[in-house]
Amino acid sequence: MENVSVVTLFTLSGLNYTLEIRITLFVLTLLWYLMVLIGNFALIIAVVMDKSLHEPMYIFLCNLCINALYGTVGFYPKFLWDLLSSHVITHAGCLLQGFVIHSSLCGDFSILALMAYDRYVAICRPLVYHSVMTKERICIFVFVSWLIPFYGMFMNTSSLLASQLCGSQINRIYCINWMIAKLTCSKTTVNGILVFITIIIYILHGLFIMWSYIYIIKTCINSVEKRGKFMQTCVPHLTSLLTFLATMMVDVLLVQFGSKDTPQTIQNFVTIEYLLIPPILNPLIYGFKLTKIRNRILGFVKSTHKS
């Protein structure tokens, strides 16, 4: 029986392809990652450089893009390396990757909940919007939206550090805490409690978002002006939210109910959907839909082209 003093390397599964296929995947993944980087950096730079975009909605959106860059850096570089080399990762590296990916996913949901609240105040309580969304409160909101996932995942990951391990095979192409917990020799009660608390926290996030949109929709029904604001600012947010939830739900369903007969390629795609789609979709949605951001990016591109 192996224990934590012996298991220093984990083997990742799911990349048993021929060299030609792995090289093709490497090129496609690298191109996709470059698009993720360009799209999110473009939106971040647009918000930072343009003072007219220093408003709560755009600040929260900027943080959503920063979080996307943070989460993808925990997956893509290692995945690209694995496509051209052995599929192993150290125990510490596995815990770090799990921490980064988990905290990024939770961070996405926290920031999306914050954006829902911002839209609620803007549409349902416009007269007090600027007194509610002060610079100080925005800083506090952003800080808390990063603190909750970071602290939660730090505690979750820490609870696995001293666990004895009875295996070294990770049945994924990247590490997640749940897979590491499955390899422990005995049930990790503390980790189970922390996971339960995290689930409750993010269920409350979901209920808060639902509450916000119930009031937003009720307010917009009888106002043409507010319906226009809803279409302009809430539709991109809802698209981001539903995309995030859909990709997460598909992965959870695969983990809980997936068959061993499911082709490996499909399993791989499902497990990385939320690292593929939201990071590239969010900057595209907001870049095309929000006029100020679109105009700022187009202006930057034109000025660069002229020079």
Side-chain angles (χ1 to χ4, degrees), residues 73-86:
V73 81
F75 168 71
Y76 283 95
K78 179 66 173 73
F79 179 65
L80 288 167
W81 176 264
D82 287 344
L83 285 170
L84 301 180
S85 63
S86 58

Side-chain angles (χ1 to χ4, degrees), residues 171-220:
N171 295 319
R172 279 209 173 200
I173 56 178
Y174 59 89
C175 289
I176 58 173
N177 289 354
W178 183 75
M179 288 290 184
I180 301 173
K182 282 184 67 177
L183 295 176
T184 57
C185 300
S186 58
K187 289 185 178 181
T188 52
T189 305
V190 174
N191 180 260
I193 293 171
L194 291 170
V195 169
F196 178 76
I197 292 172
T198 302
I199 291 172
I200 294 298
I201 289 172
Y202 284 96
I203 287 175
L204 292 175
H205 275 56
L207 293 174
F208 177 76
I209 293 172
M210 287 178 60
W211 173 83
S212 298
Y213 270 101
I214 287 171
Y215 276 89
I216 290 171
I217 292 170
K218 285 172 65 177
T219 303
C220 292

Side-chain angles (χ1 to χ4, degrees), residues 28-94:
L28 293 175
T29 303
L30 180 60
L31 291 174
W32 191 266
Y33 186 38
L34 289 174
M35 288 193 295
V36 168
L37 293 175
I38 292 169
N40 285 280
F41 270 121
L43 201 147
I44 292 167
I45 292 169
V47 173
V48 172
M49 298 294 290
D50 192 337
K51 290 185 178 180
S52 69
L53 296 177
H54 293 181
E55 300 174 8
M57 180 175 67
Y58 301 111
I59 292 171
F60 300 150
L61 175 58
C62 185
N63 276 270
L64 189 67
C65 291
I66 292 171
N67 187 61
L69 293 175
Y70 162 68
T72 52
V73 81
F75 168 71
Y76 283 95
K78 179 66 173 73
F79 179 65
L80 288 167
W81 176 264
D82 287 344
L83 285 170
L84 301 180
S85 63
S86 58
H87 319 139
V88 296
I89 187 169
T90 64
H91 181 248
C94 194

Side-chain angles (χ1 to χ4, degrees), residues 178 249-262:
W178 183 75
M249 188 59 66
V250 171
D251 183 48
V252 170
L253 290 174
L254 177 68
V255 170
Q256 295 297 325
F257 307 108
S259 170
K260 291 182 179 180
D261 298 326
T262 304

Side-chain angles (χ1 to χ4, degrees), residues 92-284:
C94 194
L95 289 170
L96 178 61
Q97 186 177 52
F99 170 80
V100 171
I101 292 175
H102 280 294
S103 58
S104 173
L105 293 175
C106 292
D108 260 355
F109 207 21
S110 293
I111 296 169
L112 287 168
L114 188 55
M115 294 172 77
Y117 177 68
D118 172 70
R119 292 300 85 205
Y120 160 75
V121 179
I123 293 174
C124 300
R125 303 177 62 195
L127 298 178
V128 298
Y129 180 76
H130 292 291
S131 62
V132 172
M133 290 296 186
T134 61
K135 289 183 179 180
E136 292 76 16
R137 284 181 179 169
I138 291 170
C139 291
I140 292 171
F141 289 156
V142 169
F143 175 74
V144 171
S145 71
W146 284 90
L147 176 65
I148 292 174
F150 267 73
Y151 181 73
M153 288 306 110
F154 174 77
M155 295 301 294
N156 186 292
T157 304
S158 297
S159 69
L160 295 171
L161 282 173
S163 300
Q164 290 189 330
L165 301 173
C166 291
S168 60
Q169 183 74 29
I170 301 287
N171 295 319
R172 279 209 173 200
I173 56 178
Y174 59 89
C175 289
I176 58 173
N177 289 354
W178 183 75
M179 288 290 184
I180 301 173
K182 282 184 67 177
L183 295 176
T184 57
C185 300
S186 58
K187 289 185 178 181
T188 52
T189 305
V190 174
N191 180 260
I193 293 171
L194 291 170
V195 169
F196 178 76
I197 292 172
T198 302
I199 291 172
I200 294 298
I201 289 172
Y202 284 96
I203 287 175
L204 292 175
H205 275 56
L207 293 174
F208 177 76
I209 293 172
M210 287 178 60
W211 173 83
S212 298
Y213 270 101
I214 287 171
Y215 276 89
I216 290 171
I217 292 170
K218 285 172 65 177
T219 303
C220 292
I221 287 175
N222 299 319
S223 172
V224 176
E225 180 185 350
K226 288 182 177 179
R227 281 203 297 270
K229 186 180 285 187
F230 179 90
M231 294 300 295
Q232 180 70 19
T233 61
C234 293
V235 169
H237 175 259
L238 275 175
T239 305
S240 296
L241 177 65
L242 293 175
T243 302
F244 172 77
L245 291 176
T247 54
M248 285 295 298
M249 188 59 66
V250 171
D251 183 48
V252 170
L253 290 174
L254 177 68
V255 170
Q256 295 297 325
F257 307 108
S259 170
K260 291 182 179 180
D261 298 326
T262 304
Q264 187 64 56
T265 301
I266 294 177
Q267 290 186 44
N268 290 345
F269 177 74
V270 169
T271 58
I272 63 172
E273 269 186 309
Y274 51 75
L275 293 163
L276 283 174
I277 300 173
I280 193 70
L281 191 62
N282 289 338
L284 289 176

